[in-house]
């Protein structure tokens, strides 16, 4: 008689943050994730929830798989070509989460030039980055996905960030790559940000499995809305001291500047999307299921994120939102992290990721209630993916993250293309890029063609089918 042994491995993720914005957002994510786990895991036990994003290391530096927490290390690689942010991390409250080898930096930066980040620093640091990513992967029993966090407007985040994305595909082709990309506003103070963004877009379209686009203007508007609430002086509409949006408690830097509050919003997006991987629930969703269920066409993998309640981000003391209202909010423009109009475009698929004490019947009822108002493509009317995580955000009863694959993202790409063309027609600042080894003029035309093709693919899906279109026939 033989016995069959079944080994269950915990699926884990590795976060790679690149550039100043990427590392500030990433650092805030680690800070808030620790806060959540400390709230749930008050006995200090290294459990499966912690192991999804953290290692437990003993005094010899070896992994300890059970029992009490010894020393937590983030499953992460941090890359920046300036020392400022990474230096603050090594000196700040989160320094014990990272060993110095996990942080890769230079001193001079990329000068807001995609070509310098992608070609110059990409080639110079390729082996070091690959080595650190491999070491992080070797500590994972079952590596499920990579999270890449970066911004699009600067040189390091856009250039080196997309170089790293291609590296991850080359080295780990079977591991999903989920990218959080922060897009610049039209009034961005980096004049070459349209070049950097469109050059990066080509790489994102070709090498990512999913992209969560977040634009700075939406973040500015959300922060303004929250601060307006705090200034109204209405009872029950004040921001608590040490809240997650205006306080740096437990973090690296005190949150005082506007972009710090904006980074917190993106960090909360990451908290919600990873909640099913970190905590138990009645209907959990693996991170790889996002790409498997929401991306019917490989190139059309840009997912519109919406968060509700918004005030969870700021720990604002407002009366709890009714559950049904929370579902409605998730499909309103005020709760989106990108400026777009999904209700006047087409949904290809949608995921609802709930946290807290929510019943499956509540979820189904609200989907049925909202369906008539949401225009889905005819061939995927049931294109919903749902998850229920039992652990809510700290100090709140529940939250909802919606991820929509909707053709409305083409408007963001169209505006970005227009800003690119305005510069490119005048050949403005091209010499800064063409002077970098490995960068050719053809790279600009290829990037422009790529984003134009992407816009056209989204537009084509909205076109009605020809009434007398020939149907596929089977030869007999």
């Amino acid at each position: 008689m033989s016995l069959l042994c079944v080994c269950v491995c915990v699926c884990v993720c590795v976060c790679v943050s690149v550039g100043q914005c990427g590392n500030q957002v990433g650092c805030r994510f680690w800070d808030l994730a620790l806060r959540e786990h400390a709230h749930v895991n008050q006995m200090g036990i290294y459990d499966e929830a912690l192991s999804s994003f953290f290692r437990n290391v003993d005094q010899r530096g070896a992994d300890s798989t059970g029992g009490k927490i010894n020393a937590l290390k983030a499953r992460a690689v941090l890359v920046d070509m300036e020392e400022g942010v990474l230096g603050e991390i090594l000196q700040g409250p989160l320094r014990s989460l990272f060993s110095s080898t996990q942080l890769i930096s230079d001193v001079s930066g990329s000068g807001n030039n995609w070509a310098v980040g992608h070609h110059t620093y990409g080639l110079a640091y390729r082996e070091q980055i690959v080595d650190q990513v491999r070491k992080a992967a070797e500590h994972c029993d079952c590596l499920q996905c990579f999270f890449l966090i970066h911004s699009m407007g600067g040189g390091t985040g856009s250039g080196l960030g997309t170089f790293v994305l291609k590296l991850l595909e080359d080295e780990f082709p079977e591991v999903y790559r989920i990218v959080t990309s922060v897009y610049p506003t039209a009034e961005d103070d980096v004049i070459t940000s349209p070049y950097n963004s469109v050059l990066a877009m080509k790489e994102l379209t070709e090498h990512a499995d999913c992209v969560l686009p977040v634009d700075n203007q939406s973040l500015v508007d959300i922060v303004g809305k929250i601060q307006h609430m705090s200034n109204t002086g209405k009872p029950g509409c004040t921001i608590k001291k040490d809240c997650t949006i205006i306080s740096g408690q437990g973090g690296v830097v005190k949150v005082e500047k506007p972009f710090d509050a904006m980074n917190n919003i993106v960090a909360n997006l990451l908290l919600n999307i990873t909640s099913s991987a970190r905590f138990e629930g009645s209907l959990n969703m693996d991170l790889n299921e996002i790409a498997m269920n929401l991306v019917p066409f490989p190139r059309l993998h840009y997912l519109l994120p919406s968060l509700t309640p918004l005030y969870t981000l700021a720990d604002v003391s407002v009366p709890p939102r009714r559950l049904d209202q929370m579902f409605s909010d998730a499909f309103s423009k005020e709760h989106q992290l990108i400026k777009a109009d999904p209700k006047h475009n087409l949904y290809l698929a949608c995921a609802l990721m709930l946290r807290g004490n929510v019943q499956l019947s509540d979820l189904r009822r609200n989907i049925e209630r909202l369906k008539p108002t949401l225009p889905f493509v005819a061939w995927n009317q049931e294109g919903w993916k749902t998850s229920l995580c039992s652990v809510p955000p700290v100090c709140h009863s529940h939250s909802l993250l919606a991820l929509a694959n909707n053709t409305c993202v083409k408007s963001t790409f169209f505006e970005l293309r227009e800003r690119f063309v305005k510069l490119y027609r005048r050949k403005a600042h091209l010499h800064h890029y063409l002077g970098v080894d490995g960068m050719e003029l053809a790279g600009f035309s290829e990037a422009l063609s790529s984003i134009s093709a992407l816009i056209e693919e989204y537009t084509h899906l909205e076109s009605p089918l020809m009434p007398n279109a020939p149907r596929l026939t089977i030869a007999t």
Side-chain angles (χ1 to χ4, degrees):
M1 181 178 177
S2 60
L3 295 176
L4 177 63
C5 258
V6 179
C7 179
V8 179
C9 66
V10 178
C11 292
V12 298
C13 305
V14 172
C15 292
V16 183
S17 48
V18 184
Q20 177 178 321
C21 174
N23 281 292
Q24 288 173 333
V25 170
C27 207
R28 201 64 188 133
F29 165 73
W30 295 113
D31 185 3
L32 298 180
L34 283 178
R35 180 188 183 209
E36 283 194 345
H37 284 284
H39 185 75
V40 174
N41 184 356
Q42 298 183 6
M43 298 296 291
I45 302 297
Y46 183 69
D47 54 12
E48 288 187 2
L50 271 171
S51 68
S52 58
F53 281 86
F54 297 92
R55 296 167 54 211
N56 189 26
V57 178
D58 62 23
Q59 293 181 343
R60 297 170 297 144
D63 282 358
S64 177
T65 55
K68 283 281 188 180
I69 295 172
N70 295 311
L72 292 178
K73 294 290 182 185
R75 300 187 187 274
V77 178
L78 287 62
V79 184
D80 196 3
M81 294 298 101
E82 292 179 351
E83 294 179 307
V85 174
L86 298 190
E88 289 173 350
I89 292 172
L90 284 178
Q91 296 171 13
L94 296 184
R95 60 186 177 274
S96 63
L97 275 184
F98 312 99
S99 63
S100 59
T101 57
Q102 289 176 266
L103 280 63
I104 301 171
S105 68
D106 203 285
V107 293
S108 56
S110 298
N112 295 321
N113 188 322
W114 181 90
V116 173
H118 198 82
H119 293 291
T120 304
Y121 286 128
L123 291 176
Y125 285 92
R126 184 187 191 283
E127 294 306 318
Q128 191 175 347
I129 294 170
V130 167
D131 182 58
Q132 288 307 311
V133 172
R134 281 178 181 162
K135 286 180 179 176
E138 287 168 1
H139 290 292
C140 303
D141 290 333
C142 186
L143 179 57
Q144 187 178 76
C145 81
F146 289 107
F147 268 103
L148 178 66
I149 311 167
H150 75 133
S151 66
M152 301 286 280
T156 300
S158 67
L160 186 54
T162 52
F163 182 90
V164 171
L165 175 63
K166 179 65 165 61
L167 274 186
L168 296 177
E169 182 183 46
D170 291 342
E171 298 292 326
F172 303 89
E174 305 302 319
V175 181
Y176 282 89
R177 298 169 298 283
I178 300 177
V179 185
T180 300
S181 302
V182 180
Y183 283 69
T185 64
E187 293 78 30
D188 192 81
D189 56 1
V190 177
I191 195 169
T192 55
S193 67
Y195 283 159
N196 298 331
S197 299
V198 172
L199 289 164
M201 278 285 297
K202 178 177 180 292
E203 306 298 316
L204 290 178
T205 301
E206 292 179 358
H207 305 299
D209 290 302
C210 279
V211 178
L212 309 178
V214 176
D215 71 55
N216 274 327
Q217 190 56 55
S218 293
L219 301 179
V220 168
D221 291 348
I222 291 172
V223 171
K225 182 182 299 184
I226 292 169
Q227 291 184 341
H228 173 73
M229 286 186 61
S230 70
N231 293 332
T232 59
K234 294 178 182 178
C237 287
T238 58
I239 297 182
K240 300 174 187 175
K241 184 181 179 183
D242 295 329
C243 71
T244 59
I245 197 163
I246 63 170
S247 163
Q249 182 180 13
V252 175
V253 185
K254 281 212 175 284
V255 181
E256 297 169 345
K257 301 175 184 177
F259 63 80
D260 291 325
M262 292 156 63
N263 291 339
N264 273 307
I265 297 171
V266 187
N268 274 276
L269 161 65
L270 297 173
L271 279 184
N272 280 274
I273 199 173
T274 60
S275 60
S276 277
R278 294 183 294 118
F279 300 115
E280 293 182 352
S282 58
L283 188 63
N284 273 7
M285 183 193 303
D286 285 342
L287 289 165
N288 57 7
E289 292 183 72
I290 295 172
M292 291 169 60
N293 289 274
L294 299 187
V295 183
F297 304 102
R299 284 168 51 88
L300 308 186
H301 53 237
Y302 294 86
L303 308 181
L304 168 70
S306 303
L307 280 169
T308 179
L310 280 179
Y311 313 115
T312 299
L313 308 175
D315 289 347
V316 176
S317 299
V318 296
R321 302 293 274 173
R322 290 186 301 109
L323 191 60
D324 287 10
Q325 183 60 48
M326 197 173 72
F327 278 88
S328 298
D329 289 345
F331 293 94
S332 70
K333 290 190 285 187
E334 290 76 15
H335 289 252
Q336 295 169 188
L337 302 191
I338 188 171
K339 291 289 182 184
D341 190 4
K343 288 192 176 181
H344 289 87
N345 291 269
L346 275 180
Y347 284 86
L348 309 184
C350 186
L352 297 177
M353 306 180 75
L354 287 115
R355 302 183 61 182
N357 184 21
V358 182
Q359 302 302 314
L360 187 57
S361 58
D362 295 321
L363 179 58
R364 289 171 175 163
R365 175 173 51 80
N366 275 284
I367 289 177
E368 291 302 318
R369 177 177 65 85
L370 290 166
K371 264 185 181 181
T373 67
L374 304 175
F376 268 71
V377 290
W379 41 263
N380 200 25
Q381 291 289 309
E382 303 300 320
W384 296 85
K385 182 65 181 175
T386 56
S387 73
L388 295 174
C389 172
S390 59
V391 178
V394 175
C395 299
H396 294 272
S397 59
H398 45 241
S399 70
L400 170 58
L401 167 66
L403 296 176
N405 193 338
N406 189 292
T407 59
C408 68
V409 295
K410 73 179 187 297
S411 63
T412 297
F413 304 152
F414 183 85
E415 292 172 6
L416 186 58
R417 182 180 67 178
E418 291 303 294
R419 300 203 300 271
F420 175 96
V421 169
K422 282 182 181 178
L423 287 177
Y424 191 53
R425 275 194 191 127
R426 297 183 287 112
K427 307 299 181 188
H429 308 288
L430 282 183
H431 61 285
H432 294 301
Y433 290 78
L434 299 180
V436 176
D437 286 345
M439 188 71 200
E440 298 179 358
L441 187 60
F444 287 86
S445 58
E446 290 169 3
L448 181 58
S449 297
S450 176
I451 195 171
S452 296
L454 186 66
I455 293 168
E456 178 58 33
E457 288 171 51
Y458 279 113
T459 303
H460 178 72
L461 286 172
E462 295 178 324
S463 303
L465 291 173
M466 296 294 290
N468 296 317
R471 295 180 179 271
L472 180 68
T473 56
I474 300 175
T476 56

